[in-house]
Amino acid sequence: MFYFLRILILFFGMFKFATPAWAENFSTEMEVVISHCPNDSCHSPYKREVIYQGTDLSLDNPVIKRLKAIAVDQAQIWADTILEGDYATDYKTRLDKAVAVFEGPVLVAYYITYSEGAWDTATCKYDGINDSTLSGCKAGRIVESVYLSPDFSDYHFVEDDYAHFVGF
């Protein structure tokens, strides 16, 4: 009986880590959007509309506030990815751009780009503690983009948009 319960617990535990069906649908839909929207242009029935540019002062808009909060949350993941390498950041996440993606009149996604000031620590003698040792490092930004579902519950990353260092 104990063995059966262990198997049952393991079986149900797998559902916690399984991708929800609606998330797979969003990713599939985003692949279609991406095929119709190379770069910044789109082919019918899709269109893109910039709703926020980094210099806008519209951070009081509730949607933009939410997108900024998501950008900050997503940048926290960098500690386990790009920042394990030869980079350090200022931890000041900036929402650089937000784009609404429409299929006809229907909003199907947001596409946001966010970044943090960064230094390539492979180009200097940064000690990991003293920020003054960053002065000899190549400066730039860590930049990443992601598609978000209209209700902000699903994310879709494109390989070319993962976090990467852009030097000045």
Side-chain angles (χ1 to χ4, degrees):
M1 179 70 171
F2 179 70
Y3 179 74
F4 176 73
L5 287 175
R6 258 179 69 190
I7 297 297
L8 192 62
I9 290 169
L10 284 171
F11 175 74
F12 284 117
M14 288 174 33
F15 287 115
K16 178 180 177 184
F17 301 106
T19 304
W22 64 87
E24 189 61 36
N25 292 339
F26 180 71
S27 289
T28 302
E29 183 177 14
M30 288 305 96
E31 290 300 327
V32 172
V33 168
I34 291 163
S35 71
H36 282 81
C37 298
N39 303 321
D40 284 335
S41 62
C42 285
H43 305 284
S44 184
Y46 298 98
K47 66 180 179 180
R48 297 166 57 106
E49 179 182 315
V50 175
I51 59 172
Y52 177 80
Q53 192 71 38
T55 56
D56 291 349
L57 299 175
S58 58
L59 280 175
D60 59 337
N61 177 315
V63 171
I64 302 303
K65 279 184 178 178
R66 182 71 189 265
L67 294 173
K68 166 71 173 165
I70 290 169
V72 170
D73 286 345
Q74 288 298 306
Q76 302 310 304
I77 297 168
W78 297 344
D80 292 331
T81 58
I82 191 166
L83 296 180
E84 284 189 344
D86 295 327
Y87 301 102
T89 71
D90 62 8
Y91 298 101
K92 296 177 183 171
T93 307
R94 178 177 80 192
L95 179 61
D96 296 318
K97 188 175 186 179
V99 175
V101 181
F102 295 91
E103 181 179 9
V106 178
L107 176 67
V108 294
Y110 294 103
Y111 179 73
I112 62 170
T113 301
Y114 45 96
S115 64
E116 289 183 1
W119 296 267
D120 181 347
T121 58
T123 63
C124 63
K125 297 203 183 297
Y126 178 54
D127 66 9
I129 298 169
N130 186 351
D131 286 347
S132 67
T133 59
L134 288 169
S135 64
C137 300
K138 181 177 175 96
R141 295 192 75 76
I142 302 287
V143 180
E144 185 170 64
S145 299
V146 64
Y147 285 91
L148 305 166
S149 62
D151 66 357
F152 311 111
S153 64
D154 295 313
Y155 301 76
H156 179 76
F157 287 90
V158 179
E159 188 172 333
D160 293 343
D161 293 339
Y162 281 122
H164 60 282
F165 179 78
V166 178
F168 297 140

